[in-house]
Amino acid sequence: MRATSLKPFVRSFHLAAWLGWQIESNWADPFLFAIYSIIKPVSAAAILVVMYSVITHGNFAAPIFSYIYLGNAFYIFVGQVMTGISWAVIDDREHYKTMKYLYIAPVHFPTYLLGRGVARFIIAAFSVLITILFGVLFLKVQIDLTEVNWLLFFVSLMIGVIMLAMMGLILAGVLMLLVHHEFGIGDAIAGALYLFSGAVFPLEVLPTSLRWIGFVNPITYWLELLRRSLVGQVAQAFPTLSTLSNMQILIILITLSITFTIISGYCFRWCENLARERGLIDVVTNY
Amino acid sequence: MHFAIETQNLCRIYKIRGGKKTEPKELLALEDVNLQIRHGELFGLLGPNGAGKTTLIKILTTLLAPTSGSAIVAGFDVVKNPEKVRPRINMVSGGESSGYGLLTVRENLWMFSQFYGIPSNIANQRIKQLLDIVGLSDRINSKSSDLSTGLRQKMNVVRGFLTDPDVLFLDEPTLGLDVGASREIRHFIRKWIDDDQTRTLLLTTHYMVEADELCDRVAIINQGRVLACDTPATLKHRLQGEAIYRMEVSPLNGTNLQDFESIAGVHKVTHRAQDGFSILELILAQDDVISSVVNTMTAGNIHILNLQKREPTLEDVFVDLVGKSIEEMESDADIEST
Ligand SMILES: Nc1ncnc2c1ncn2[C@@H]1O[C@H](COP(=O)(O)OP(=O)(O)OP(=O)(O)O)[C@@H](O)[C@H]1O
Ligand SMILES: [Mg+2]
């Protein structure tokens, strides 16, 4: 009985992931794929490196360099996962015009959207890996593989990805209600949160009145844990969370992630109902 | 007995937001719609552009919430239990090209069948059969982006039948298809219903012939209200007492038309301008009224090119109920919108 009741969820997720992969990997030219998933993130990292070297007069040996470099690399997940999930709303509704047919099918719609994000997650993981390898090989980013806390790394990575997916779902709900100019909203939000996540500079740099955003932003804790798990205690180069132990940060991350999961569940359902009331499930704008 | 589709006082109001400051305008798209559609019925909704046909289908397929009233489809309330309705229905709207262009025809259809949990081998078998019926089987492995609009629509029609729903909704399924393809699809629709008495199909159209020849029962809908609902034969029977004539005459203008309408015994006149002549359709109280019409024409120096008496059609029923033909209403709307 339980198995059968889970079936629609598994189906929705699995097919959506398959479809998402067909769409994302539909590169007419493998060269474009390389640009998209390798050259773009690496060049973004390179810009950061140049800025860093100008500011610090090329002090790449300082532990803070690895810290910044890794924060920036893992941040790739934020944009890709949130955009992957929320963009499916626009893509299916406006571009493929299939959203109404999916919506009236026995599909669990939020699960479907989460599935659509899987492909972007895989591409993001690939970009992150390439970026880090590039840093280790050419920029002296110091990761000692024997010192890495793998358990902490994978647990934090997993929780973080779920947390990002839930944020993506909130965004997807909002996009269902917006009819015009939704371009790149996922990237825009990811970009805005970049400043409030301690990715490349500590929250202390922010004006006091805005700092709280960084403290309620689960991404802040997620990045901190990833960095600590990879480069150890030396990673506490930013003062922000240095008084907290790994376990304390993990607990905060889990608590915030659960909170976001609950919020996104309610928020998505609320948006979906409103979209259905306003007749927005199948609107087509001529963009 | 319970129905495949039953609506109670269904209403839908659209709020149309203009500028930021202006109050939203309200548009009554459906008003107190009460329909009862039996299992095994092929039911047609006939009405001009903007009548509310698509709005009704959207509500019945759980895409749109009604403003008030309720609807039961395949045994469940569309507002309270949409997730119970969805596995039992499917819908196709004509005149649009939907689908994932980068997937092949087979992949598109297969994916949708899988959302409904149809075993893959059965789905593949049905896909082949249905593509054969709509004459698309030679394109099964084409990317759907390579199909013309009409061929994509055929694929979309196949998607609707593929899941073998209890209740199938077709919103203008033959819109934009050529004559041959339309006929094949109408033929298949009829056969699909006749093959299994548990199936129910609701289609909308503004083609009179489609409603007349295809449907078991027809509801005539205009400006959100159901004006009549019966079998095409019974609807036409309403006009049995009246005489219907079709005339081709030298070009008319509006003032002439009023002259005819004021003749005693003339119930309705509709007018269509053609290249170099006019077509008049007249609903008369009885046959001998035609002589007064002919007299008025001769007096007004109008030449009669052709005169025929004919059997009533659904078109006449529509004119009788609304006062205008669907064609006239749609050309009026075109003039207003330009
Ligand atoms: N999303 C919407 N927002 C505002 N008004 C709408 C919306 N959808 C439909 N309407 C209006 O509601 C009325 C009914 O529209 P509907 O699409 O149901 O008509 P229809 O019978 O399907 O017409 P057609 O034959 O042109 O498809 C029309 O006046 C239309 O302009
Ligand atoms: Mg319509």
Side-chain angles (χ1 to χ4, degrees), chain B residues 21-236:
Chain B
K21 291 270 155 65
T22 51
E23 277 283 292
K25 267 192 259 168
E26 295 203 334
L27 190 145
L28 188 54
L30 288 178
E31 189 179 354
D32 274 329
V33 172
N34 291 289
L35 286 175
Q36 293 175 327
I37 300 172
R38 288 184 286 272
H39 295 278
E41 235 178 349
L42 203 177
F43 192 93
L45 280 176
L46 178 66
N49 291 141
K53 306 182 294 293
T54 301
T55 303
L56 181 58
I57 285 207
K58 283 190 196 174
I59 293 174
L60 297 178
T61 54
T62 79
L63 264 181
L64 180 72
T67 306
S68 63
S70 64
I72 308 279
V73 172
F76 296 95
D77 189 299
V78 293
V79 175
K80 291 183 195 132
N81 295 103
E83 69 294 337
K84 292 259 173 50
V85 175
R86 287 174 187 147
R88 296 170 169 83
I89 62 165
N90 207 340
M91 187 254 291
V92 179
S93 18
E96 55 160 43
S97 44
S98 69
Y100 296 93
L102 51 107
L103 300 182
T104 65
V105 171
R106 197 190 65 78
E107 286 168 335
N108 263 294
L109 293 169
W110 175 83
M111 186 185 74
F112 272 99
S113 74
Q114 295 313 291
F115 280 123
Y116 289 78
I118 298 171
S120 208
N121 56 335
I122 295 180
N124 281 323
Q125 212 174 315
R126 278 194 205 156
I127 290 170
K128 279 215 189 83
Q129 282 170 353
L130 288 165
L131 286 177
D132 235 1
I133 288 165
V134 300
L136 206 58
S137 38
D138 55 331
R139 306 301 294 272
I140 186 165
N141 290 319
S142 302
K143 289 207 167 181
S144 69
S145 56
D146 295 344
L147 300 183
S148 71
T149 319
L151 296 183
R152 268 196 178 205
Q153 181 161 339
K154 287 185 179 180
M155 176 180 88
N156 201 9
V157 169
V158 169
R159 184 190 50 69
F161 286 99
L162 179 59
T163 63
D164 197 13
D166 293 346
V167 184
L168 179 58
F169 297 88
L170 302 177
D171 193 2
E172 319 224 16
T174 60
L175 190 72
L177 292 182
D178 65 46
V179 181
S182 303
R183 196 187 314 116
E184 275 160 27
I185 284 179
R186 279 200 285 269
H187 190 81
F188 180 68
I189 289 173
R190 188 65 248 179
K191 186 172 173 304
W192 187 78
I193 277 291
D194 292 341
D195 279 352
D196 186 339
Q197 278 304 300
T198 64
R199 292 167 172 166
T200 307
L201 196 148
L202 175 72
L203 73 82
T204 76
T205 179
H206 56 250
Y207 301 130
M208 291 294 171
V209 191
E210 197 158 291
D212 201 347
E213 291 173 3
L214 192 58
C215 298
D216 297 323
R217 278 199 305 152
V218 173
I220 293 180
I221 173 169
N222 187 38
Q223 294 185 340
R225 280 180 305 132
V226 175
L227 302 177
C229 174
D230 221 318
T231 63
T234 316
L235 287 171
K236 286 184 284 189

Side-chain angles (χ1 to χ4, degrees), chain A residues 220-261:
Chain A
T220 308
Y221 304 92
W222 177 60
L223 290 178
E224 181 74 13
L225 279 176
L226 289 173
R227 293 187 282 211
R228 285 193 187 184
S229 66
L230 290 180
V231 290
Q233 291 303 313
V234 67
Q236 296 173 17
F238 287 0
T240 319
L241 303 173
S242 55
T243 55
L244 298 175
S245 70
N246 291 353
M247 193 43 89
Q248 284 169 316
I249 299 179
L250 189 61
I251 288 170
I252 297 174
L253 175 65
I254 290 173
T255 314
L256 283 175
S257 299
I258 292 174
T259 314
F260 267 85
T261 304

